[in-house]
Amino acid sequence: MAMWGLHYLLVAFLITITYGINAESAGITRHYTFHIQLKNITRLCKTKSIVAVNGKFPGPKVTAREGDNLQIKVVNHVSNNISIHWHGIRQLRSGWADGPSYVTQCPIQTGQSYVYNFTIIGQRGTLWWHAHIQWMRATVYGPLIILPKLHQHYPFPKPYKQVPIIFGEWFNADPQAVVQQALQTGAGPNASDAHTFNGLPGPLYNCSTKDTYKLVVKPGKTYLLRLINAALDDELFFTIANHTLTVVEADASYVKPFQTNIVLLGPGQTTNVLLKTKPIYPNATFYMLARPYFTAQGTIDNTTVAGILKYHHKPTSNHFNSSKNLPVINPSLPPINSTSYAANFTKMFRSLANSRFPANVPKIVDKKFFFTVGLGTNPCPKNQTCQGPTNTTKFAAAINNVTFILPNTTSLLQSYFSGMSKKVFTTNFPSAPVFPFNYTGVPPNNTMVSGGTKVVVLKYNTTVELVLQGTSILGIEAHPIHLHGYNFYVVGQGFGNFDPTRDPKQYNLVDPVERNTINVPSGGWVAIRFLADNPGVWFMHCHIEIHLSWGLTMAWVVLDGDLPNQKLPPPPSDFPTC
Ligand SMILES: *[C@@H]1O[C@H](CO)[C@@H](O)[C@H](O)[C@H]1NC(C)=O
Ligand SMILES: *[C@@H]1O[C@H](CO)[C@@H](O)[C@H](O)[C@H]1NC(C)=O
Ligand SMILES: *[C@@H]1O[C@H](CO)[C@@H](O)[C@H](O)[C@H]1NC(C)=O
Ligand SMILES: *[C@@H]1O[C@H](CO)[C@@H](O)[C@H](O)[C@H]1NC(C)=O
Ligand SMILES: *[C@@H]1O[C@H](CO)[C@@H](O)[C@H](O)[C@H]1NC(C)=O
Ligand SMILES: *[C@@H]1O[C@H](CO)[C@@H](O)[C@H](O)[C@H]1NC(C)=O
Ligand SMILES: *[C@@H]1O[C@H](CO)[C@@H](O)[C@H](O)[C@H]1NC(C)=O
Ligand SMILES: *[C@@H]1O[C@H](CO)[C@@H](O)[C@H](O)[C@H]1NC(C)=O
Ligand SMILES: *[C@@H]1O[C@H](CO)[C@@H](O)[C@H](O)[C@H]1NC(C)=O
Ligand SMILES: *[C@@H]1O[C@H](CO)[C@@H](O)[C@H](O)[C@H]1NC(C)=O
Ligand SMILES: *[C@@H]1O[C@H](CO)[C@@H](O)[C@H](O)[C@H]1NC(C)=O
Ligand SMILES: *[C@@H]1O[C@H](CO)[C@@H](O)[C@H](O)[C@H]1NC(C)=O
Ligand SMILES: [Cu+2]
């Protein structure tokens, strides 16, 4: 086993770099190999076997530059099926490499491999990669850093160092068993046991002090922290005691810089912040903390992960004595249910919208959609007692009352591309609720949802406006909605029910933030716009994993355009089969 581990590690480090024809503008090809293997790991005094990549947890950092081609070979050595999603990568005409199982591909089976081959066009910033099948992403995730093209600068002062901090959620149990039990009984899933920074829960948990993330800094420098929320189900507030953060990027799009002490990230979201360290060595160390934002009913892991920000002491001073005796300063976070903080924070984001980074917001809308997002119920099977909201129901979730059912013998994209889609999905996903109700008022008595594999078909280059309306069915809560294959502009948001006459007058069409994952506010709505210029089948789902498991997802089919460079090429030869 040790020999194999070493072998895989060596392969992982063997990153070949081939120069393209014009290295400066076209970028280069970077090769990575991901070996999906089991790894024994100890956290909170319990040793367990997890699925990991190249023996690392969190998984390896993938680094590329804007314009580069990535070829990542994923080899599956475990008994679970696997597929990897490159979260936030637009996958322009490379939908075969997007990764969600049964949406764009069949999963990679045990002993099989697949090369994800895609080029990063017009994007730079912090993204991440994760497994996209069941709850495998609980342990299979890592950063995906896109640096600007060579000789191009950040639109902010060059940081002294850049540090990815990826937030996770740790389960003592097997996460796959947690979701299977929830789906079987119809109950909410058991809560996780810890939150983590770069896989480490930190000193506020029992038996965890040695597993503490430490960020050691020098005074008077600017650090770029690349924050990624890879937690399965939890939105997280993040803060560092006595330090102000300057937000400069969200979901790999630059934003107008603003200062804050506390940032909020929904699962799937990334945020770059500048941390300016104190000009002289302080007589203290500082906790960085993350803890959930949560407004729903039900149980949640409300525990706090702590890491330590520590100043690197002058070589002349007695390093060990001085740093050991320093007090640790504890920051404060908003109450767990502070929707007010969440709303204020979300409003701060504006895109740069300058000549170098314009905001190409669609001004004329071809197609408008109004989708409700929220929970609901499915009936309990006849001979079973369930643990949903009642003993005759199971928890479910839906968009416009459709709880999505994935195919299991092919993917949506394959069936579409081969002209066999009629056997797999229908194209009648409702563009608005069939039965309108007071979405944020008293919920309807009938909470049942309706199952289906339904999509919306869009012609190439359609401009789309989508209003996502949260519902109060079985409690109000925020839903971080993630769209594959696109970035969108967040043109409006508010509480209560969306008002189609009043609210569009308040839209920001000048400098709205551009993102791939947006929180539908708890008890509110958000409006987004995008240009459907990427042919393929694109999943859109809540990034709270249990909501996705309950069916809070749908797919857009974007047709080919007329020109050759507006068409999706055929799948690669090693494309997985079911
Ligand atoms: C994990 O530990 C178990 C029990 O000690 C052992 O049998 C197994 O080989 C280990 N697996 C790995 C991948 O090291
Ligand atoms: C990767 O994709 C590019 C562009 O689509 C193609 O030219 C190349 O042959 C592909 N390489 C592999 C190894 O699949
Ligand atoms: C931390 O902030 C508190 C409150 O603003 C202040 O009283 C204290 O002096 C600060 N300590 C350090 C070491 O910066
Ligand atoms: C730090 O503590 C030392 C020893 O207590 C003291 O001499 C020094 O002035 C303190 N420095 C600051 C910045 O508070
Ligand atoms: C966390 O949740 C538990 C169980 O619901 C509760 O007893 C506890 O007070 C909560 N802790 C915090 C810090 O909110
Ligand atoms: C947040 O929770 C506290 C304690 O449970 C409660 O008193 C308060 O009303 C809640 N606030 C909101 C905005 O729901
Ligand atoms: C949010 O902003 C409003 C209006 O500026 C303010 O009244 C409120 O206190 C803020 N809430 C928080 C938690 O900062
Ligand atoms: C009743 O439930 C069991 C397991 O829960 C299942 O194996 C069996 O097929 C079910 N019977 C019917 C008639 O649905
Ligand atoms: C289900 O709940 C109802 C109403 O609370 C109760 O009367 C019934 O006994 C329960 N059934 C089972 C099998 O627990
Ligand atoms: C596969 O999907 C079909 C159609 O939705 C369903 O009837 C069947 O139970 C599924 N099979 C498995 C193994 O999940
Ligand atoms: C919807 O429900 C809210 C909250 O109960 C209420 O204030 C509002 O008047 C209702 N709207 C309509 C149109 O009934
Ligand atoms: C959702 O669909 C179910 C099943 O068809 C139906 O009973 C329910 O009334 C629908 N709910 C809404 C809000 O449309
Ligand atoms: Cu959700």
Side-chain angles (χ1 to χ4, degrees), residues 121-349:
I121 301 163
Q123 293 186 276
R124 77 302 298 163
T126 303
L127 293 173
W128 59 300
W129 56 264
H130 62 80
H132 213 303
I133 179 165
Q134 296 155 343
W135 278 23
M136 298 293 286
R137 79 171 181 84
T139 57
V140 179
Y141 63 81
L144 170 47
I145 309 296
I146 313 167
L147 301 171
K149 288 185 177 181
L150 269 178
H151 313 304
Q152 289 195 355
H153 302 293
Y154 297 113
F156 45 81
K158 188 169 185 261
Y160 171 68
K161 281 214 165 107
Q162 24 182 310
V163 187
I165 305 180
I166 191 159
F167 310 162
E169 224 176 314
W170 180 261
F171 291 79
N172 286 333
D174 171 10
Q176 291 287 97
V178 171
V179 65
Q180 270 156 29
Q181 187 197 18
L183 297 179
Q184 169 67 31
T185 63
N190 289 341
S192 53
D193 297 283
H195 297 103
T196 56
F197 290 144
N198 293 341
L200 303 168
L204 305 185
Y205 297 94
N206 285 336
C207 199
S208 181
T209 303
K210 67 177 194 322
D211 294 320
T212 300
Y213 173 66
K214 293 190 184 80
L215 176 60
V216 181
V217 295
K218 289 185 176 167
K221 305 278 188 199
T222 300
Y223 291 76
L224 176 64
L225 307 186
R226 298 177 176 274
L227 309 177
I228 301 164
N229 187 353
L232 272 187
D233 296 315
D234 295 345
E235 313 229 359
L236 293 166
F237 289 120
F238 171 85
T239 190
I240 305 179
N242 283 50
H243 288 76
T244 298
L245 305 170
T246 305
V247 176
V248 292
E249 185 198 296
D251 294 359
S253 294
Y254 296 125
V255 299
K256 291 194 173 83
F258 68 90
Q259 294 197 333
T260 185
N261 292 326
I262 299 156
V263 294
L264 172 65
L265 287 91
Q269 293 187 315
T270 60
T271 306
N272 279 4
V273 298
L274 297 176
L275 166 71
K276 204 165 173 8
T277 56
K278 297 192 175 295
I280 52 162
Y281 287 99
N283 275 357
T285 58
F286 306 89
Y287 267 154
M288 57 180 89
L289 302 181
R291 204 204 42 211
Y293 159 59
F294 186 70
T295 63
Q297 300 160 352
T299 53
I300 186 179
D301 173 3
N302 61 7
T303 62
T304 305
V305 45
I308 290 175
L309 176 74
K310 195 170 151 177
Y311 281 72
H312 197 316
H313 269 254
K314 281 169 273 193
T316 49
S317 73
N318 188 335
H319 175 263
F320 296 102
N321 283 342
S322 59
S323 65
K324 272 234 170 83
N325 296 332
L326 291 180
V328 186
I329 301 186
N330 209 0
S332 58
L333 283 168
I336 193 163
N337 59 359
S338 187
T339 294
S340 165
Y341 191 91
N344 290 2
F345 178 70
T346 309
K347 274 188 219 143
M348 302 296 288
F349 288 80

Side-chain angles (χ1 to χ4, degrees), residues 9-75:
L9 227 59
L10 286 174
V11 173
F13 290 147
L14 233 170
I15 298 161
T16 359
I17 294 179
T18 331
Y19 283 85
I21 303 159
N22 183 340
E24 196 157 318
S25 65
I28 59 174
T29 292
R30 297 174 192 252
H31 295 270
Y32 283 78
T33 302
F34 276 21
H35 289 283
I36 313 291
Q37 309 159 265
L38 293 179
K39 175 188 170 64
N40 286 339
I41 186 166
T42 305
R43 290 288 184 275
L44 313 175
C45 270
K46 293 185 180 71
T47 302
K48 61 181 273 208
S49 170
I50 63 165
V51 177
V53 176
N54 298 343
K56 289 182 156 198
F57 175 72
K61 180 172 79 172
V62 172
T63 307
R65 284 191 189 277
E66 177 180 348
D68 287 351
N69 171 244
L70 275 170
Q71 296 188 9
I72 304 174
K73 181 176 184 176
V74 176
V75 191

